[in-house]
Structure formats: structure tokens, C-alpha cells
Amino acid sequence: MSEMSSGTALRQLHQAQAGLKKARQALRMVRGNPDKAPSVLKIGWESLAQCHRLVGAIPLAAADESVMTKQLAVQRYATSLLVRLRRVARNDFTGDDDDDLGDDES
């Protein structure tokens, strides 16, 4: 098996962030209907798990400056999602989801 390139690593990180974004979009459904909280929690948790699998599969040989920078952005986004999932788990629907619209940095 060949080593992963930094380009492949960047594609994996983009894929991980796309999954996190879909989970964040699903979180918006809870605002209008708290009954959807269990399914949204499941979606979010699975997205986080997939993100960590993708990030964890990147070898050191592929971790150049651009990969590390993108990984920081993806992990900040994952942390932000986890904070929101925790609020949903506590039935705290008061958090503002518009506080980090600039999370799309690369």
C-alpha cells in the first residue's frame, strides 16, 4: 500500500468538514421541534466519529503545513459541533448557532 499524499489528506479533511456541516444543518431542526433531538444527536455523534476516523488516518508523512492548518480548522469545527450537541443533550436550545459563520477557513 502506498503512502498517503498531502493532497489525499486534504481531501479527507474536506470530506470530514462536509460531514460536520451536514450535522450542523441538522441541528437547526431541533430549534423548531425539540422532539427531533434524539435523531439529531445521533446524526451529530456519527459525524464526529467519522471525522475523527478520517483525521486519525492521516499519517505523519502527509502532514505538511497546509494539512496541519486544515486539520486545525476541522478540529475547531468539530469542537463547535460537540458544544452544540451537548446543549441539545441537556435540552438547552438557547444557544445561538450564528456565532461562528466564519468557520469555513482553509
Side-chain angles (χ1 to χ4, degrees), residues 8-59:
T8 301
L10 283 172
R11 283 189 292 279
Q12 277 192 221
L13 290 168
H14 284 286
Q15 180 184 357
Q17 190 167 25
L20 295 172
K21 286 181 183 182
K22 288 180 184 177
R24 281 284 289 279
Q25 290 170 351
L27 275 172
R28 292 185 181 108
M29 292 187 319
V30 175
R31 280 193 187 160
N33 189 356
D35 295 335
K36 292 189 182 268
S39 63
V40 169
L41 279 171
K42 183 178 179 189
I43 290 168
W45 194 258
E46 289 173 359
S47 177
L48 280 172
Q50 177 66 13
C51 174
H52 289 299
R53 278 191 292 274
L54 289 171
V55 168
I58 297 172

Side-chain angles (χ1 to χ4, degrees), residues 23 59 67 76 91 104:
V67 170
R76 278 193 308 265
N91 295 318
D104 296 334

Side-chain angles (χ1 to χ4, degrees), residues 1-4 57:
M1 189 164 139
S2 64
E3 278 290 314
M4 180 185 293

